[in-house]
Amino acid sequence: MKKIASFTVNHDVLEKGMYISRIDGDIVTYDIRMKKPNAGDYLDMRSAHTLEHLFATYARNSKFGEAIVYVGPMGCKTGFYLLVRDSVSPENAISLVRESMEFIAKYEGKIPGNTRKECGNYLYHDLQGAKALALDMQEVLKDYQVENLQYKE
């Protein structure tokens, strides 16, 4: 079988950040890398679950909402994927992720979609952990530019 794109990335040199993972027609997949791969520190899944609810809610309610295809965690517990239509420029994608992380870091209140009827694991959340992850990513993305979106070899 053909090797999928994400398995061709050298995870030994991958750092926290935001990268263009792939482009499929009009869909751009962004790799939001929140933890250094294979470094022994991975996303706590309660925190990641909460971050997912808040990130997806913010992104889908932003001015780019109609262009958001998917927001969700990576199985390896080192980050998230953000899939958008190509009508969202790379500059705007960076801004959207920055704004999303600011929203999450400051969020107070009920977690969106957090009832038994709305979520398959509605008790499995950690707002304070999600806020800590978002604060860390705010620092990582503070001076991020489009040229930083390319994976390093």
Side-chain angles (χ1 to χ4, degrees), residues 27 45 48 50 59 65 71 73 76 87 93 101 124 131 135-136 139 148:
I27 306 297
M45 291 315 291
T50 305
V71 176
C76 63
S87 59
M101 294 303 140
Y124 194 71
K131 291 170 80 158
L135 275 170
D136 184 59
E139 186 61 30
N148 300 119

Side-chain angles (χ1 to χ4, degrees), residues 60-77:
R60 290 188 176 120
N61 282 281
S62 74
K63 63 184 174 184
F64 304 110
E66 294 297 317
I68 304 301
V69 176
Y70 175 75
V71 176
M74 296 175 182
C76 63
K77 299 178 10 175

Side-chain angles (χ1 to χ4, degrees), residues 77-117:
K77 299 178 10 175
T78 62
F80 276 73
Y81 286 115
L82 169 65
L83 281 70
V84 300
R85 299 216 179 271
D86 63 6
S87 59
V88 179
S89 71
E91 294 88 355
N92 285 333
I94 293 169
S95 292
L96 175 61
V97 174
R98 278 190 190 127
E99 292 167 13
S100 297
M101 294 303 140
E102 181 179 356
F103 169 77
I104 296 164
K106 293 179 179 177
Y107 189 80
E108 296 293 336
K110 184 177 179 285
I111 298 163
N114 191 31
T115 67
R116 182 180 185 94
K117 185 176 180 181

Side-chain angles (χ1 to χ4, degrees), residues 2-51:
K2 184 177 170 186
K3 189 180 280 195
I4 64 171
S6 61
F7 296 160
T8 66
V9 175
N10 183 349
H11 286 70
D12 286 334
V13 299
L14 192 55
E15 297 292 335
K16 291 185 203 179
M18 181 173 172
Y19 307 94
I20 294 174
S21 175
R22 58 184 295 145
I23 299 173
D24 299 285
D26 72 330
I27 306 297
V28 181
T29 300
Y30 287 95
D31 171 336
I32 315 300
R33 196 61 61 149
M34 303 179 84
K35 298 288 184 176
K36 181 165 177 49
N38 301 311
D41 178 29
Y42 302 100
L43 294 175
D44 166 75
M45 291 315 291
R46 287 179 187 271
S47 302
H49 186 207
T50 305
L51 190 131

